[in-house]
Amino acid sequence: MNAGTHTHRTRVRYAETDQMGVVHHASYLLYLEDGRTRLMEERGLPYTQIERSGLGLPVRRVELRFREAALYGDELCVLTRVSRLRAASVAFDYEIRRADDDTLLATAWLELACVDLSAPGRPVAPLPDAVRECLESAEPPSARVSED
Amino acid sequence: MNAGTHTHRTRVRYAETDQMGVVHHASYLLYLEDGRTRLMEERGLPYTQIERSGLGLPVRRVELRFREAALYGDELCVLTRVSRLRAASVAFDYEIRRADDDTLLATAWLELACVDLSAPGRPVAPLPDAVRECLESAEPPSARVSED
Amino acid sequence: MNAGTHTHRTRVRYAETDQMGVVHHASYLLYLEDGRTRLMEERGLPYTQIERSGLGLPVRRVELRFREAALYGDELCVLTRVSRLRAASVAFDYEIRRADDDTLLATAWLELACVDLSAPGRPVAPLPDAVRECLESAEPPSARVSED
Amino acid sequence: MNAGTHTHRTRVRYAETDQMGVVHHASYLLYLEDGRTRLMEERGLPYTQIERSGLGLPVRRVELRFREAALYGDELCVLTRVSRLRAASVAFDYEIRRADDDTLLATAWLELACVDLSAPGRPVAPLPDAVRECLESAEPPSARVSED
């Protein structure tokens, strides 16, 4: 992962481990959430600002593949990249690596829908221009698609 | 614990363990939350109804004492009792026991404030009569106090 | 989902919601974990017994698709079925439905590897016969595959 | 809090909020865990090293008091100080403050027991000298007590 990739570093918490002695698989979703919110924040668009405008970006699809176990105390690099930007959704590609030795621990792909939090039933809504521009700046040129 | 005590049974989840091979201490707060919400629900007052009326019951104080470790797969009994009811707060006493052998695993005391979720700054608000009556029915007579 | 499908009922906890007012997407992985461990337990093979024999079943792949939001207080039905049984792995198909009205909230597919917890590096290990038989009893006939 | 106080900064995760729109109270226990493990690590004693020596430091008592709600996106300062060091236990005092405006959000006191993870029943064990020295260096002089 290179052009447009954002790197977020985080440390594994004790509470994130389970009795198998490794990080529980559900904890990775929290690392991914950190990854994309930090990417957006770094590009000038904190997620709180999106919610304040009445929109939300709930997760619609997740694909996760675990390769090596993360351990308590590990420093992780969460590499996040916009993989696809559509009219009313955005998808991210991820790699999670151990910072020490760059071992690839997990890969992931997530799709978020843009929804109108203030309308009944929270219908899908087009990504506003400000969000689109923020995400485009993090997207490789070939990933631009206009339909959802 | 006897008069007014509510018993909720729950099973330890794998994700609630940590690499020490026991339930992580933070998970107990989730069991306690289950305990008091089930108590209130059983007495006809689901917590969703309180929130719909514009009030919330955030936790203000916690005291927890761990005695024996809960393990993955354990069935737990969460014993909940109203310990003190004031104008704008309620406190609960708890015991968490392993269902199998009745071993006492943890005791706890929690105080919740009643707040007005719709007012700026969410100020403390008197417990409405319906909530008070629901909680009084779960309270030993000696615990009734009128000031907060 | 019918033949071999196991149904587990669980209630959404307050702590499982987020500030969007719905269940956070990571919580679904806990419901899925409950689903498959209860399925195995009901067929006579509690997961603790597998770990005691020195084996573990860590999650290797996850696919999740969210359709409708689960809400605090919802009772959920977690429908679990073995989708594929190989020499050293097992995959499960899932549906999560709201118990009240049977609305489909999410679907999922998870693959677990069988690993030897006592060997260095925790290498992949064949599923022991007892585990295989337990899972076969929960598997539709067409899903049987012998290679991993 | 001043002499011997360790400051750890952490950002509130979206998953740590609940539908009241604030950080769920159980999440604070994770911040506290981060606080004491970072304190010990900074003084040359990572917690992994303690566990490798066969000892564990499970939480035995917790007192938490919530004053103001932490919000999604807040940067928090976790101020940790050894409050009492005994033969086989250690207690920490905490303040959690919002980094932006130094608002006090919560205070806490936690006691950890030292236990022998390798002995049956995990009995209480004296804190080894290395751990004691590490913690003493983080302790105000008046807090030194030798009995447990």
Side-chain angles (χ1 to χ4, degrees):
Chain A
M1 301 181 88
N2 13 44
T5 299
H6 176 266
T7 301
H8 169 60
R9 283 172 168 253
T10 191
R11 286 280 298 278
V12 170
R13 286 174 166 164
Y14 200 83
E16 291 164 1
T17 62
D18 62 30
Q19 71 178 34
M20 224 182 280
V22 300
V23 171
H24 188 269
H25 60 282
S27 304
Y28 289 76
L29 288 177
L30 312 189
Y31 308 150
L32 302 179
E33 191 164 64
D34 280 354
R36 64 183 173 273
T37 51
R38 298 299 179 98
L39 174 153
M40 293 176 71
E41 184 178 287
E42 205 185 69
R43 278 164 175 82
L45 196 68
Y47 187 67
T48 44
Q49 199 174 314
I50 298 179
E51 283 199 347
R52 242 179 258 128
S53 77
L55 298 172
L57 296 175
V59 173
R60 191 155 63 183
R61 286 177 63 192
V62 172
E63 289 177 23
L64 262 166
R65 185 167 186 124
F66 299 96
R67 292 160 189 279
E68 300 281 338
L71 303 177
Y72 168 62
D74 276 354
E75 182 162 22
L76 305 178
C77 289
V78 183
L79 307 172
T80 309
R81 201 176 51 177
V82 174
S83 83
R84 199 182 62 195
L85 193 52
R86 290 189 168 171
S89 72
V90 54
F92 294 93
D93 270 326
Y94 287 99
E95 289 178 7
I96 297 184
R97 293 179 174 274
R98 188 181 295 123
D100 255 14
D101 57 8
D102 205 40
T103 304
L104 182 62
L105 305 178
T107 54
W109 179 87
L110 261 94
E111 188 188 55
L112 313 183
C114 182
V115 302
D116 184 346
L117 294 176
S118 56
R122 297 190 169 176
V124 168
L127 285 164
D129 288 346
V131 180
R132 172 167 301 281
E133 280 156 30
C134 159
L135 294 169
E136 267 169 359
S137 73
E139 176 202 38
S142 62
R144 276 171 215 168
V145 184
S146 56
E147 298 304 304
D148 199 40
Chain B
M1 301 178 88
N2 11 44
T5 300
H6 176 266
T7 302
H8 168 62
R9 284 175 168 251
T10 190
R11 287 279 298 278
V12 170
R13 287 174 166 163
Y14 200 84
E16 291 163 3
T17 62
D18 62 29
Q19 70 178 32
M20 226 183 275
V22 300
V23 171
H24 188 268
H25 61 281
S27 304
Y28 289 76
L29 289 176
L30 312 190
Y31 307 150
L32 302 179
E33 191 164 65
D34 280 355
R36 65 184 173 273
T37 52
R38 298 298 179 98
L39 174 152
M40 293 177 72
E41 183 179 287
E42 206 185 68
R43 279 164 175 81
L45 197 69
Y47 187 66
T48 44
Q49 200 174 313
I50 298 178
E51 285 200 347
R52 243 179 259 129
S53 78
L55 297 172
L57 295 174
V59 174
R60 191 156 62 183
R61 287 177 62 192
V62 171
E63 290 178 21
L64 262 166
R65 184 168 188 124
F66 299 97
R67 291 162 189 277
E68 298 282 338
L71 303 178
Y72 168 63
D74 276 354
E75 183 162 21
L76 306 178
C77 288
V78 183
L79 307 172
T80 309
R81 201 175 51 177
V82 173
S83 83
R84 199 183 59 197
L85 193 52
R86 292 191 167 167
S89 72
V90 55
F92 294 92
D93 270 325
Y94 288 99
E95 289 178 7
I96 298 184
R97 293 180 175 273
R98 189 183 293 124
D100 256 13
D101 57 7
D102 205 41
T103 305
L104 181 62
L105 305 178
T107 54
W109 180 87
L110 260 95
E111 188 188 55
L112 313 184
C114 183
V115 303
D116 184 346
L117 295 176
S118 56
R122 298 186 167 178
V124 168
L127 283 164
D129 288 346
V131 180
R132 170 166 302 282
E133 280 155 30
C134 159
L135 294 168
E136 267 169 359
S137 73
E139 176 202 37
S142 62
R144 275 172 215 167
V145 186
S146 57
E147 298 303 305
D148 199 40
Chain C
M1 300 180 88
N2 13 42
T5 299
H6 177 266
T7 301
H8 169 61
R9 284 175 169 251
T10 191
R11 286 280 298 278
V12 169
R13 288 174 165 163
Y14 200 84
E16 291 164 1
T17 62
D18 62 28
Q19 71 178 33
M20 226 183 275
V22 300
V23 172
H24 188 269
H25 61 282
S27 304
Y28 289 76
L29 289 177
L30 311 190
Y31 307 150
L32 302 179
E33 191 164 65
D34 280 356
R36 63 183 174 273
T37 52
R38 298 297 179 98
L39 174 152
M40 293 175 73
E41 184 179 287
E42 206 185 66
R43 279 166 175 79
L45 197 68
Y47 187 67
T48 43
Q49 199 173 315
I50 298 178
E51 284 200 347
R52 245 180 255 128
S53 77
L55 297 172
L57 294 176
V59 174
R60 191 157 62 184
R61 286 177 62 192
V62 171
E63 289 177 21
L64 262 166
R65 184 166 187 126
F66 300 96
R67 291 161 189 278
E68 299 282 338
L71 302 177
Y72 168 63
D74 277 354
E75 182 162 22
L76 305 178
C77 288
V78 183
L79 307 172
T80 310
R81 199 174 52 177
V82 173
S83 83
R84 199 181 61 196
L85 193 52
R86 292 189 167 170
S89 72
V90 54
F92 295 92
D93 270 327
Y94 288 99
E95 289 178 7
I96 297 184
R97 293 180 174 273
R98 189 181 293 124
D100 257 12
D101 57 8
D102 205 41
T103 306
L104 181 61
L105 305 177
T107 53
W109 179 87
L110 260 95
E111 188 187 55
L112 313 183
C114 182
V115 303
D116 183 346
L117 295 175
S118 56
R122 298 187 167 177
V124 168
L127 284 163
D129 288 346
V131 180
R132 171 167 301 281
E133 279 156 30
C134 159
L135 294 168
E136 267 168 0
S137 73
E139 175 203 37
S142 62
R144 275 170 215 169
V145 186
S146 56
E147 298 303 304
D148 199 41
Chain D
M1 301 179 88
N2 13 43
T5 300
H6 176 267
T7 301
H8 168 61
R9 284 175 168 252
T10 191
R11 285 280 298 277
V12 170
R13 286 175 167 163
Y14 199 84
E16 290 163 2
T17 63
D18 62 29
Q19 71 178 31
M20 225 182 277
V22 299
V23 172
H24 187 269
H25 60 283
S27 304
Y28 289 76
L29 288 177
L30 312 190
Y31 307 150
L32 302 179
E33 191 164 64
D34 280 355
R36 64 184 174 272
T37 51
R38 298 299 178 97
L39 174 153
M40 293 176 72
E41 185 180 286
E42 205 185 70
R43 278 164 176 82
L45 197 69
Y47 187 66
T48 44
Q49 199 174 314
I50 298 177
E51 284 200 347
R52 242 179 258 128
S53 77
L55 298 172
L57 296 175
V59 174
R60 191 156 62 183
R61 287 177 61 191
V62 172
E63 289 176 22
L64 261 166
R65 186 170 185 122
F66 300 97
R67 292 161 189 278
E68 299 281 338
L71 303 177
Y72 168 63
D74 277 354
E75 182 163 23
L76 306 177
C77 288
V78 183
L79 307 172
T80 309
R81 200 174 53 177
V82 173
S83 83
R84 198 182 63 195
L85 192 52
R86 291 189 168 170
S89 72
V90 55
F92 294 93
D93 271 326
Y94 287 99
E95 289 178 7
I96 297 184
R97 294 180 173 273
R98 189 181 294 123
D100 256 15
D101 57 8
D102 205 40
T103 304
L104 181 62
L105 305 177
T107 54
W109 179 87
L110 260 94
E111 188 187 54
L112 314 184
C114 182
V115 302
D116 184 345
L117 295 176
S118 56
R122 297 188 167 175
V124 168
L127 284 164
D129 289 346
V131 180
R132 171 166 301 282
E133 280 156 28
C134 158
L135 294 168
E136 268 170 357
S137 73
E139 178 201 37
S142 62
R144 275 170 217 170
V145 184
S146 57
E147 296 305 304
D148 199 38

